[in-house]
Amino acid sequence: MKNLIKYISALSLIFLFNACEIEPRIIELPEHNSQLTITAALTPQDDSLNTILFNYSIGIQDVQDFDSENYLINPSLSLTTPDQGVIDGYIFKDVEDYSEFESARFPLWKFDYIDFIPGETYVLHGSAEGYEDIQTSVTIPQVPELSSVKITKSDDTDPTRYFQRDLFEIEIDDPAGESNYYRIRARPIIKDNTTGIIGSSFRFYGNYSNPIDESTLEKRITVVSDELFDGEKHTMLVYGERGSYDFDQVEFDLIAITEAEFLYFNAVEKLNNDNPFTEPVTIQSNISNGYGLFSISSPPNTLIVTVD
């Protein structure tokens, strides 16, 4: 009798699993409507950072052939400024200027204008044959108040560990009654016999070290909101990761950015995170009739900090 019950139970499970089988489903995605795209986060007085990627969007099922000449036809970019009128953009690095080892080769644009004025509004306009014109505007934030920066070098003496994380204590005097967003940037001044050489930028994290693996399950800090310290003199604690080289001074920048830039780079950071538990991300856009980001930050508030 017991064997009969076991047999009936086994048959019931088989029927149950067969009944729950899901038939294959074909998901048909809508055809992608390609639009012009802009990627530009400009910084006043720093021509090296004022690069603009002007291209077109592709769908999730499309494949971009980087070896083809399938680029925009008769593209045009212009910037309306408050002091010099309309300035035309131009390609300063074309496809043939890339090395043979660079797989993604897109024309890079720029404007011969770097003296952006805080508080003023700038308008970007773009066009290309076969696409709707795009347009966006941005009002430049004021220079942020940076009260002080204290940097304490890592005391990690492990000779096998190339990357070190130094403690940054950054005191910001945040204006009250408004939403403010910041970008932090720091570069060590490498010791040299004749002159100081700026090294590679620090990468900022919230922890002294990552016990699991480099960059895994860990959020990199690139942009900051004043949501939790509006109107306060706030000290932010972060850890700057850098290589094991000798220095005793750091060039530190605090930069005020737009809300659009904050949302965009916060989403990009989540997208590029290796965390398997990260939720789906929507990349923010502030481009009318297109996709992407156009933003201009404040001039940087710069301090040369002697390291403890």
Side-chain angles (χ1 to χ4, degrees):
M1 185 68 179
K2 290 183 178 179
N3 290 336
L4 179 61
I5 293 174
K6 291 180 180 179
Y7 179 72
I8 294 174
S9 298
L11 283 178
S12 299
L13 287 174
I14 292 173
F15 287 129
L16 177 64
F17 285 128
N18 286 337
C20 293
E21 284 186 3
I22 300 176
E23 295 185 2
R25 296 177 61 190
I26 298 176
I27 300 176
E28 295 184 1
L29 297 176
E31 184 176 349
H32 177 68
N33 179 27
S34 182
Q35 294 181 298
L36 294 177
T37 64
I38 286 284
T39 306
L42 310 184
T43 301
Q45 305 166 6
D46 194 341
D47 191 50
S48 63
L49 297 178
N50 291 344
T51 297
I52 302 170
L53 180 60
F54 180 33
N55 209 345
Y56 60 92
S57 65
I58 60 174
I60 192 172
Q61 301 180 93
D62 300 329
V63 176
Q64 173 66 53
D65 181 4
F66 294 121
D67 294 324
S68 74
E69 296 182 357
N70 189 21
Y71 302 108
L72 296 175
I73 300 174
N74 295 326
S76 173
L77 277 181
S78 66
L79 182 69
T80 302
T81 70
D83 57 338
Q84 296 186 26
V86 177
I87 297 177
D88 291 327
Y90 64 93
I91 296 174
F92 77 96
K93 185 174 183 179
D94 214 336
V95 178
E96 59 268 16
D97 297 326
Y98 288 84
S99 73
E100 59 180 327
F101 304 105
E102 296 175 282
S103 58
R105 297 187 289 273
F106 295 111
L108 297 179
W109 292 67
K110 72 187 313 182
F111 296 105
D112 282 337
Y113 183 98
I114 59 173
D115 295 323
F116 296 102
I117 306 169
E120 296 290 347
T121 299
Y122 291 76
V123 179
L124 178 78
H125 181 269
S127 65
E129 189 174 314
Y131 293 91
E132 284 189 87
D133 290 4
I134 58 173
Q135 183 169 301
T136 188
S137 63
V138 58
T139 300
I140 301 178
Q142 298 294 331
V143 179
E145 293 292 334
L146 177 60
S147 300
S148 65
V149 178
K150 180 181 178 182
I151 303 173
T152 305
K153 271 189 179 180
S154 168
D155 58 3
D156 190 345
T157 57
D158 185 352
T160 64
R161 192 188 302 277
Y162 176 73
F163 290 108
Q164 307 285 340
R165 291 190 182 181
D166 305 324
L167 173 62
F168 282 68
E169 301 173 64
I170 307 162
E171 189 176 59
I172 301 172
D173 194 356
D174 185 70
E178 59 185 60
S179 297
N180 295 287
Y181 308 92
Y182 303 101
R183 181 167 12 118
I184 54 177
R185 183 175 66 190
R187 294 174 290 182
I189 302 176
I190 308 300
K191 288 183 178 179
D192 185 81
N193 293 331
T194 56
T195 183
I197 300 175
I198 299 295
S200 299
S201 296
F202 285 86
R203 293 171 296 190
F204 291 104
Y205 298 91
N207 300 318
Y208 172 70
S209 63
N210 189 339
I212 302 176
D213 188 16
E214 295 296 334
S215 77
T216 302
L217 302 180
E218 188 175 29
K219 180 183 178 182
R220 181 177 171 184
I221 300 171
T222 54
V223 290
V224 179
S225 166
D226 73 342
E227 181 180 3
L228 299 179
F229 56 89
D230 177 44
E232 301 177 4
K233 183 169 281 191
H234 174 74
T235 299
M236 178 171 57
L237 303 181
V238 295
Y239 290 91
E241 185 177 88
R242 42 83 184 176
S244 296
Y245 31 68
D246 191 21
F247 67 97
D248 55 21
Q249 285 188 316
V250 170
E251 182 184 78
F252 182 87
D253 293 328
L254 179 67
I255 302 168
I257 61 175
T258 63
E259 181 182 19
E261 184 172 338
F262 170 79
L263 294 173
Y264 181 88
F265 282 106
N266 206 31
V268 169
E269 177 58 33
K270 292 179 180 178
L271 180 67
N272 293 332
N273 198 318
D274 294 331
N275 190 339
F277 305 108
T278 298
E279 296 180 355
V281 175
T282 299
I283 304 295
Q284 301 292 324
S285 172
N286 68 339
I287 309 298
S288 297
N289 298 328
Y291 300 112
L293 169 75
F294 177 70
S295 180
I296 307 172
S297 73
S298 75
N301 190 334
T302 303
L303 289 179
I304 302 299
V305 184
T306 299
V307 181
D308 290 346

